[in-house]
Amino acid sequence: MITSITAAGLIAGTALIFPFLYLGLFRQNISKTIKRFSFSQNQEFNRKFHQVLKAFLTGSNGVLKPVLRMAHVREELAHQFPPFYRGFAYEGVGLGLGVRASLSLGKGRRFESYLHELSSGHLYQYYVGLGWYLSIRYRFDYEAAAGWLRQLDSRYAPIVFDGVGFKTALYHYRQNKQIIQKFSIFPHPYQRVCYQGLGRSLWFLHEFDLKEVSAEIETLPTAFRKDTYSGVGIAVAYSMFDQVAHTAEADIQIPLAYQASFRQGLAFGWEARKLQDPAYWQRQMQSCSSSVSAKVNHYVDCVHQAEQRIEADAAESYYFRWIEEARRILQEEASVKEKR
């Protein structure tokens, strides 16, 4: 009897402490990770990229504490990071919330409740961060990831594969370019979003050099180059939002066949910036010339125009229809301008 009671006590004790041990497994050693990615001699690039990593990892660690207080998380991130870097921190929060939500039976639904409770303005960043968690936890096990997808908002659930693609490329692509063949394990639509994440990663791996990025994309499967360029566009718009005037002209460096995809990426990246911090957006627009701010705001308007055109009830294809419609609008506008 005593032995049975002792065993039961051990099981109960283990059950109580397991969640805290699990959260601890995913806490990041920030300085160690930053050192891992100190691959550049370009100090300006290193400064920005390391700050991006610090923000991301800090955001994740911040929600992996034993007790989660959303108001405290918001206050801490606002205190630690200026508006430019705060969005990257919230992307990391998505990773951490994925870890926490995985301890619930309805993990996807729990994740959704977390993100709306914290700050719905960072919607896209959360799903990318969740993709990091799914990549760490399941690697390329689609069936395991599908269990989450069924419980997430189907309009935005595909964005998790952007996180899978980005994380895979950031950690492995330099040493093993064949790693991206693993994306073929996923259904074709999700492969597209993996390549979008790859595009975002290439922007960092090639240290903000569009010529090098374009040369790299030429080595990729033709079927996924447009989506890769979309990812590059997202990364350029989002990571260079402190240099809007420069990035607003970046599309002219892109091969003609891929300009619409790149512009769509720019538009989505700027839309994410505007959604998460309207006040910061306004300050940045006021710092630009009227022609630049008009172009950037127009691209964001195209995102909303595309969203209004698609079938809102076509939930499973929503994200892909949104992308395609935005590309179509931007391509049509470019064609009209060329004819003038």
Side-chain angles (χ1 to χ4, degrees), residues 120-138:
S120 57
H122 295 86
L123 182 70
Y124 311 123
Q125 286 71 48
Y126 294 130
Y127 289 102
V128 171
L130 176 59
W132 274 66
Y133 170 69
L134 298 181
S135 180
I136 295 169
R137 180 67 178 81
Y138 304 120

Side-chain angles (χ1 to χ4, degrees), residues 192-328:
R192 292 181 57 190
V193 192
C194 285
Y195 276 90
Q196 177 179 291
L198 169 65
R200 288 199 308 117
S201 191
L202 291 177
W203 173 242
F204 290 102
L205 291 174
H206 287 288
E207 303 176 23
F208 308 153
D209 189 323
L210 270 179
K211 289 185 178 179
E212 288 190 8
V213 171
S214 293
E216 189 71 54
I217 292 176
E218 286 299 312
T219 70
L220 300 177
T222 304
F224 297 109
R225 290 179 189 172
K226 288 183 178 180
D227 297 301
T228 308
Y229 268 110
S230 287
V232 177
I234 292 171
V236 170
Y238 197 88
S239 69
M240 305 298 283
F241 194 56
D242 54 346
Q243 300 179 43
V244 181
H246 174 69
T247 55
E249 302 300 324
D251 53 340
I252 63 176
Q253 301 181 52
I254 304 301
L256 187 61
Y258 303 112
Q259 283 184 358
S261 299
F262 180 79
R263 288 166 180 158
Q264 170 260 311
L266 288 176
F268 274 48
W270 284 326
E271 155 67 4
R273 279 290 189 183
K274 185 174 184 179
L275 178 65
Q276 69 188 35
D277 195 333
Y280 179 50
W281 170 273
Q282 191 61 33
R283 291 197 299 273
Q284 291 301 97
M285 291 301 100
Q286 290 173 350
S287 71
C288 300
S289 67
S290 58
S291 60
V292 169
S293 62
K295 178 177 181 177
V296 174
N297 277 295
H298 176 65
Y299 271 40
V300 173
D301 289 342
C302 288
V303 173
H304 296 289
Q305 184 181 345
E307 190 173 21
Q308 291 169 4
R309 287 188 184 181
I310 64 177
E311 293 285 343
D313 58 351
E316 292 184 2
S317 62
Y318 183 92
Y319 186 64
F320 303 99
R321 289 167 63 89
W322 193 11
I323 287 173
E324 295 300 335
E325 190 60 34
R327 288 179 187 173
R328 186 177 299 112

Side-chain angles (χ1 to χ4, degrees), residues 44-76:
E44 180 61 22
F45 169 80
N46 275 341
R47 181 194 64 77
K48 176 174 276 190
F49 185 47
H50 290 171
Q51 190 67 5
V52 166
L53 279 176
K54 180 181 179 181
F56 179 86
L57 299 172
T58 300
S60 180
N61 286 351
V63 295
L64 291 176
K65 297 174 182 177
V67 178
L68 178 61
R69 295 187 177 90
M70 295 300 193
H72 181 71
V73 172
R74 285 192 293 270
E75 291 171 5
E76 282 291 300

Side-chain angles (χ1 to χ4, degrees), residues 4-252:
S4 298
I5 293 173
T6 302
L10 287 172
I11 293 171
T14 301
L16 286 172
I17 66 173
F18 173 76
F20 303 109
L21 294 174
Y22 189 72
L23 295 180
L25 285 175
F26 288 89
R27 286 186 63 83
Q28 305 289 318
N29 184 320
I30 296 175
S31 60
K32 183 178 180 180
T33 302
I34 289 176
K35 287 180 181 178
R36 173 175 181 170
F37 291 101
S38 298
F39 51 74
S40 174
Q41 299 300 313
N42 183 332
Q43 293 306 309
E44 180 61 22
F45 169 80
N46 275 341
R47 181 194 64 77
K48 176 174 276 190
F49 185 47
H50 290 171
Q51 190 67 5
V52 166
L53 279 176
K54 180 181 179 181
F56 179 86
L57 299 172
T58 300
S60 180
N61 286 351
V63 295
L64 291 176
K65 297 174 182 177
V67 178
L68 178 61
R69 295 187 177 90
M70 295 300 193
H72 181 71
V73 172
R74 285 192 293 270
E75 291 171 5
E76 282 291 300
L77 295 184
H79 174 72
Q80 292 183 65
F81 299 103
F84 177 81
Y85 289 104
R86 204 172 297 150
F88 297 104
Y90 274 94
E91 190 171 306
V93 164
L95 165 58
L97 291 181
V99 177
R100 295 194 80 97
S102 69
L103 296 170
S104 302
L105 290 177
K107 45 189 178 289
R109 290 186 292 273
R110 189 72 181 107
F111 180 81
E112 292 282 347
S113 67
Y114 277 144
L115 68 88
H116 290 294
E117 183 182 352
L118 181 57
S119 172
S120 57
H122 295 86
L123 182 70
Y124 311 123
Q125 286 71 48
Y126 294 130
Y127 289 102
V128 171
L130 176 59
W132 274 66
Y133 170 69
L134 298 181
S135 180
I136 295 169
R137 180 67 178 81
Y138 304 120
R139 291 182 60 77
F140 301 101
D141 185 344
Y142 173 66
E143 291 305 318
W148 283 80
L149 298 176
R150 288 189 289 269
Q151 296 180 4
L152 297 173
D153 186 327
S154 57
R155 294 173 299 172
Y156 309 115
I159 299 174
V160 301
F161 289 95
D162 182 302
V164 172
F166 184 90
K167 194 267 180 184
T168 298
L170 186 66
Y171 277 79
H172 304 291
Y173 190 75
R174 277 178 170 271
Q175 299 78 24
N176 175 22
K177 293 187 177 183
Q178 302 307 310
I179 189 70
I180 61 174
Q181 294 180 5
K182 294 286 188 180
F183 296 161
S184 64
I185 292 170
F186 304 125
H188 182 267
Y190 297 145
Q191 291 179 48
R192 292 181 57 190
V193 192
C194 285
Y195 276 90
Q196 177 179 291
L198 169 65
R200 288 199 308 117
S201 191
L202 291 177
W203 173 242
F204 290 102
L205 291 174
H206 287 288
E207 303 176 23
F208 308 153
D209 189 323
L210 270 179
K211 289 185 178 179
E212 288 190 8
V213 171
S214 293
E216 189 71 54
I217 292 176
E218 286 299 312
T219 70
L220 300 177
T222 304
F224 297 109
R225 290 179 189 172
K226 288 183 178 180
D227 297 301
T228 308
Y229 268 110
S230 287
V232 177
I234 292 171
V236 170
Y238 197 88
S239 69
M240 305 298 283
F241 194 56
D242 54 346
Q243 300 179 43
V244 181
H246 174 69
T247 55
E249 302 300 324
D251 53 340
I252 63 176

